[in-house]
Amino acid sequence: MIVVVKEPNKAAEIREIEGGLSPLQQIVDGRIEVVELINGFDLVCNEEFLFLDLEPNIVVNGELFFGTVFITKADDTGNFVSLSDSEVRLATMILNRMAVQLV
């Protein structure tokens, strides 16, 4: 499955991962939480990011997200599926624009 991953203080990158819960949890280093974004995208983050000592990463609608996040999408049954080439480009742009700029 193709997703776009954004780690704190790094540019978004394309990754191919296996399906299933465990690979998703490994990316965010914990239990996952899914936040709906525009264009049918889903942002996946660590469910407990507010309680862990993680670095700030992105801002979505005024909310600061900490730790590694990634964008994917779900099919009609709710299962995560690969992003297309055009979706990868858009997801990469979205994550890089939402990045926290540390000074």
Side-chain angles (χ1 to χ4, degrees):
M1 177 169 72
I2 305 297
V3 299
V4 178
V5 178
K6 171 79 178 68
E7 294 179 16
N9 304 312
K10 294 184 179 177
E13 66 181 26
I14 303 162
R15 286 196 198 161
E16 185 170 355
I17 63 169
E18 293 182 30
L21 184 59
S22 182
L24 305 179
Q25 291 175 324
Q26 286 176 351
I27 292 174
V28 300
D29 196 28
R31 295 167 44 167
I32 66 168
E33 179 175 343
V34 180
V35 177
E36 290 183 45
L37 297 176
I38 59 172
N39 299 324
F41 290 140
D42 291 316
L43 177 75
V44 181
C45 64
N46 185 309
E47 178 181 67
E48 299 173 323
F49 71 85
L50 289 175
F51 308 106
L52 301 172
D53 187 26
L54 302 173
E55 292 184 65
N57 191 357
I58 63 170
V59 177
V60 178
N61 296 326
E63 183 176 358
L64 182 58
F65 285 77
F66 295 79
T68 301
V69 299
F70 67 94
I71 288 181
T72 187
K73 66 178 186 177
D75 63 16
D76 292 338
T77 62
N79 294 312
F80 291 130
V81 296
S82 283
L83 299 175
S84 69
D85 289 344
S86 62
E87 290 168 333
V88 163
R89 286 190 295 278
L90 182 57
T92 301
M93 182 187 69
I94 289 169
L95 284 176
N96 287 332
R97 286 193 177 169
M98 290 191 290
V100 170
Q101 301 299 319
L102 300 177
V103 279

